Short mmCIF file of all heavy atoms in Angstrom, two decimals:
data_model
loop_
_atom_site.label_atom_id
_atom_site.label_comp_id
_atom_site.label_asym_id
_atom_site.label_seq_id
_atom_site.Cartn_x
_atom_site.Cartn_y
_atom_site.Cartn_z
N ARG A 217 5.38 -17.89 -17.47
CA ARG A 217 5.59 -16.65 -18.01
C ARG A 217 4.46 -15.72 -18.15
O ARG A 217 4.52 -14.54 -17.65
CB ARG A 217 6.46 -16.60 -19.35
CG ARG A 217 7.78 -17.27 -19.31
CD ARG A 217 8.30 -17.27 -20.65
NE ARG A 217 9.73 -17.96 -20.81
CZ ARG A 217 10.83 -17.42 -20.37
NH1 ARG A 217 10.96 -16.23 -20.06
NH2 ARG A 217 11.90 -18.18 -20.49
N ARG A 218 3.36 -16.30 -18.61
CA ARG A 218 2.18 -15.41 -18.70
C ARG A 218 1.47 -15.11 -17.37
O ARG A 218 1.25 -13.87 -17.12
CB ARG A 218 1.15 -16.29 -19.51
CG ARG A 218 -0.21 -15.45 -19.78
CD ARG A 218 -1.24 -16.33 -20.43
NE ARG A 218 -1.81 -17.24 -19.42
CZ ARG A 218 -2.78 -17.02 -18.64
NH1 ARG A 218 -3.30 -15.80 -18.51
NH2 ARG A 218 -3.13 -17.94 -17.85
N LEU A 219 1.42 -16.05 -16.41
CA LEU A 219 0.80 -15.76 -15.12
C LEU A 219 1.60 -14.75 -14.27
O LEU A 219 1.13 -13.98 -13.53
CB LEU A 219 0.70 -17.11 -14.37
CG LEU A 219 -0.32 -18.10 -14.91
CD1 LEU A 219 -0.23 -19.37 -14.12
CD2 LEU A 219 -1.75 -17.52 -14.83
N LEU A 220 2.96 -14.91 -14.40
CA LEU A 220 3.85 -13.98 -13.62
C LEU A 220 4.36 -12.84 -14.32
O LEU A 220 5.04 -11.91 -13.77
CB LEU A 220 5.03 -14.90 -13.06
CG LEU A 220 4.71 -16.05 -12.18
CD1 LEU A 220 5.92 -16.87 -11.78
CD2 LEU A 220 3.91 -15.59 -10.88
N GLY A 221 4.01 -12.67 -15.59
CA GLY A 221 4.63 -11.54 -16.35
C GLY A 221 6.06 -11.64 -16.49
O GLY A 221 6.77 -10.54 -16.44
N LEU A 222 6.68 -12.77 -16.77
CA LEU A 222 8.15 -13.00 -16.78
C LEU A 222 8.48 -13.21 -18.32
O LEU A 222 9.21 -14.17 -18.62
CB LEU A 222 8.53 -14.06 -15.95
CG LEU A 222 8.32 -13.97 -14.42
CD1 LEU A 222 8.74 -15.29 -13.73
CD2 LEU A 222 8.93 -12.77 -13.97
N SER A 223 8.21 -12.33 -19.20
CA SER A 223 8.49 -12.63 -20.58
C SER A 223 10.04 -12.47 -20.78
O SER A 223 10.54 -12.96 -21.76
CB SER A 223 7.73 -11.55 -21.52
OG SER A 223 8.04 -10.16 -21.03
N ASP A 224 10.70 -11.63 -19.88
CA ASP A 224 12.09 -11.51 -20.09
C ASP A 224 12.99 -12.26 -19.20
O ASP A 224 14.22 -12.24 -19.30
CB ASP A 224 12.34 -9.92 -19.85
CG ASP A 224 11.71 -9.02 -20.85
OD1 ASP A 224 11.57 -9.37 -21.91
OD2 ASP A 224 11.45 -7.80 -20.41
N GLN A 225 12.36 -13.26 -18.50
CA GLN A 225 13.14 -14.02 -17.59
C GLN A 225 13.99 -14.97 -18.44
O GLN A 225 13.45 -15.76 -19.27
CB GLN A 225 12.19 -14.84 -16.54
CG GLN A 225 12.98 -15.93 -15.69
CD GLN A 225 13.85 -15.18 -14.73
OE1 GLN A 225 13.51 -14.17 -14.16
NE2 GLN A 225 15.08 -15.75 -14.57
N LYS A 226 15.26 -15.19 -18.14
CA LYS A 226 16.17 -15.92 -18.87
C LYS A 226 16.58 -17.24 -17.98
O LYS A 226 16.66 -17.10 -16.67
CB LYS A 226 17.44 -15.25 -19.23
CG LYS A 226 17.32 -14.08 -20.19
CD LYS A 226 18.59 -13.33 -20.47
CE LYS A 226 18.45 -12.25 -21.37
NZ LYS A 226 19.71 -11.58 -21.73
N VAL A 227 16.67 -18.36 -18.65
CA VAL A 227 17.07 -19.59 -17.95
C VAL A 227 18.56 -19.43 -17.44
O VAL A 227 19.34 -18.93 -18.23
CB VAL A 227 17.00 -20.82 -18.87
CG1 VAL A 227 17.49 -22.00 -18.19
CG2 VAL A 227 15.47 -21.03 -19.29
N GLY A 228 18.73 -19.79 -16.25
CA GLY A 228 20.09 -19.76 -15.70
C GLY A 228 20.31 -18.46 -14.79
O GLY A 228 21.37 -18.19 -14.20
N GLU A 229 19.25 -17.53 -14.71
CA GLU A 229 19.32 -16.38 -13.92
C GLU A 229 18.30 -16.58 -12.60
O GLU A 229 17.21 -17.25 -12.88
CB GLU A 229 19.00 -15.07 -14.65
CG GLU A 229 19.96 -14.81 -15.69
CD GLU A 229 19.66 -13.47 -16.39
OE1 GLU A 229 18.58 -12.96 -16.07
OE2 GLU A 229 20.47 -12.99 -17.13
N PRO A 230 18.52 -15.99 -11.55
CA PRO A 230 17.58 -16.05 -10.40
C PRO A 230 16.34 -15.16 -10.64
O PRO A 230 16.42 -14.23 -11.51
CB PRO A 230 18.48 -15.51 -9.29
CG PRO A 230 19.46 -14.71 -9.87
CD PRO A 230 19.84 -15.27 -11.20
N LEU A 231 15.26 -15.58 -9.97
CA LEU A 231 14.04 -14.74 -10.12
C LEU A 231 14.18 -13.37 -9.60
O LEU A 231 13.30 -12.47 -9.89
CB LEU A 231 12.86 -15.50 -9.46
CG LEU A 231 12.20 -16.62 -10.19
CD1 LEU A 231 11.06 -17.09 -9.46
CD2 LEU A 231 11.63 -15.99 -11.52
N THR A 232 15.09 -13.20 -8.67
CA THR A 232 15.27 -11.84 -8.03
C THR A 232 15.60 -10.84 -9.10
O THR A 232 15.29 -9.63 -8.72
CB THR A 232 16.41 -11.93 -6.96
OG1 THR A 232 17.51 -12.49 -7.59
CG2 THR A 232 15.97 -12.79 -5.82
N ARG A 233 16.02 -11.04 -10.26
CA ARG A 233 16.29 -10.12 -11.30
C ARG A 233 15.14 -9.74 -11.98
O ARG A 233 15.04 -8.66 -12.72
CB ARG A 233 17.34 -10.66 -12.35
CG ARG A 233 18.65 -10.94 -11.70
CD ARG A 233 19.69 -11.25 -12.69
NE ARG A 233 20.99 -11.60 -12.19
CZ ARG A 233 22.04 -11.73 -12.96
NH1 ARG A 233 22.01 -11.84 -14.30
NH2 ARG A 233 23.24 -11.97 -12.35
N SER A 234 13.97 -10.49 -11.82
CA SER A 234 12.73 -10.18 -12.69
C SER A 234 11.58 -9.82 -11.65
O SER A 234 10.60 -9.16 -12.13
CB SER A 234 12.27 -11.36 -13.46
OG SER A 234 13.29 -11.68 -14.38
N LEU A 235 11.50 -10.29 -10.36
CA LEU A 235 10.52 -10.00 -9.63
C LEU A 235 10.90 -9.15 -8.33
O LEU A 235 11.94 -9.36 -7.86
CB LEU A 235 9.81 -11.33 -8.94
CG LEU A 235 9.11 -12.28 -9.93
CD1 LEU A 235 8.71 -13.52 -9.26
CD2 LEU A 235 7.92 -11.53 -10.64
N PRO A 236 10.07 -8.26 -7.88
CA PRO A 236 10.45 -7.42 -6.80
C PRO A 236 10.24 -8.20 -5.43
O PRO A 236 9.61 -9.27 -5.48
CB PRO A 236 9.41 -6.20 -6.85
CG PRO A 236 8.15 -6.84 -7.49
CD PRO A 236 8.76 -7.80 -8.43
N PRO A 237 10.84 -7.75 -4.43
CA PRO A 237 10.68 -8.39 -3.10
C PRO A 237 9.31 -8.34 -2.71
O PRO A 237 8.52 -7.36 -2.88
CB PRO A 237 11.63 -7.66 -2.19
CG PRO A 237 12.60 -7.03 -3.05
CD PRO A 237 11.90 -6.65 -4.37
N GLY A 238 8.85 -9.50 -2.04
CA GLY A 238 7.54 -9.52 -1.67
C GLY A 238 7.02 -10.95 -1.40
O GLY A 238 7.81 -11.88 -1.53
N ARG A 239 5.80 -11.18 -1.05
CA ARG A 239 5.31 -12.50 -0.73
C ARG A 239 5.36 -13.47 -1.90
O ARG A 239 5.70 -14.69 -1.82
CB ARG A 239 3.87 -12.52 -0.27
CG ARG A 239 3.42 -13.85 0.25
CD ARG A 239 2.01 -13.71 0.99
NE ARG A 239 1.72 -15.03 1.54
CZ ARG A 239 0.94 -16.01 0.80
NH1 ARG A 239 0.49 -15.56 -0.38
NH2 ARG A 239 0.68 -17.09 1.32
N LEU A 240 5.03 -12.99 -3.22
CA LEU A 240 5.19 -13.80 -4.38
C LEU A 240 6.49 -14.31 -4.50
O LEU A 240 6.72 -15.51 -4.78
CB LEU A 240 4.74 -12.91 -5.57
CG LEU A 240 4.97 -13.74 -6.93
CD1 LEU A 240 3.96 -14.86 -6.98
CD2 LEU A 240 4.48 -12.80 -8.11
N LEU A 241 7.58 -13.58 -4.37
CA LEU A 241 8.93 -13.96 -4.58
C LEU A 241 9.24 -14.96 -3.36
O LEU A 241 9.95 -16.00 -3.62
CB LEU A 241 9.93 -12.86 -4.50
CG LEU A 241 11.38 -13.11 -4.80
CD1 LEU A 241 11.66 -13.66 -6.13
CD2 LEU A 241 12.26 -11.84 -4.73
N ASP A 242 8.87 -14.65 -2.19
CA ASP A 242 9.15 -15.60 -1.04
C ASP A 242 8.57 -16.97 -1.35
O ASP A 242 9.11 -17.97 -1.03
CB ASP A 242 8.50 -14.95 0.26
CG ASP A 242 9.30 -13.65 0.74
OD1 ASP A 242 10.41 -13.55 0.26
OD2 ASP A 242 8.75 -12.95 1.41
N VAL A 243 7.26 -17.04 -1.82
CA VAL A 243 6.65 -18.30 -2.07
C VAL A 243 7.42 -19.03 -3.03
O VAL A 243 7.61 -20.38 -3.08
CB VAL A 243 5.12 -18.14 -2.32
CG1 VAL A 243 4.54 -19.38 -2.88
CG2 VAL A 243 4.39 -17.53 -1.16
N LEU A 244 7.67 -18.44 -4.26
CA LEU A 244 8.43 -19.05 -5.40
C LEU A 244 9.80 -19.57 -4.97
O LEU A 244 10.14 -20.66 -5.48
CB LEU A 244 8.56 -17.98 -6.50
CG LEU A 244 7.16 -17.74 -7.19
CD1 LEU A 244 7.39 -16.65 -8.26
CD2 LEU A 244 6.42 -18.91 -7.75
N THR A 245 10.52 -18.84 -4.23
CA THR A 245 11.93 -19.12 -3.93
C THR A 245 12.03 -20.01 -2.53
O THR A 245 13.05 -20.36 -2.20
CB THR A 245 12.76 -18.00 -3.72
OG1 THR A 245 12.23 -17.14 -2.75
CG2 THR A 245 12.81 -17.29 -4.99
N GLY A 246 10.87 -20.38 -1.88
CA GLY A 246 10.94 -21.12 -0.69
C GLY A 246 11.01 -20.29 0.62
O GLY A 246 11.08 -20.99 1.64
N GLY A 247 10.97 -19.05 0.48
CA GLY A 247 11.01 -18.29 1.72
C GLY A 247 9.80 -18.48 2.62
O GLY A 247 9.87 -18.31 3.87
N SER A 248 8.76 -18.72 1.93
CA SER A 248 7.32 -19.02 2.63
C SER A 248 7.04 -20.38 2.29
O SER A 248 6.77 -20.68 1.05
CB SER A 248 6.38 -17.99 2.21
OG SER A 248 5.15 -18.24 2.77
#
């Protein structure tokens, strides 16, 4: 949460609700 700034991320929800599209999201979700 600290490294990614995801203080509001809830368990059970996808990361797409907290992170904008980009390389970071692609790497975390397996797109890259």
Side-chain angles (χ1 to χ4, degrees):
R217 292 183 184 275
R218 183 187 70 82
L219 293 175
L220 299 177
L222 299 178
S223 58
D224 296 331
Q225 175 66 42
K226 297 180 180 179
V227 174
E229 294 183 352
L231 275 181
T232 52
R233 296 189 179 182
S234 302
L235 290 179
R239 185 168 184 272
L240 175 60
L241 184 61
D242 292 340
V243 172
L244 293 177
T245 57
S248 177

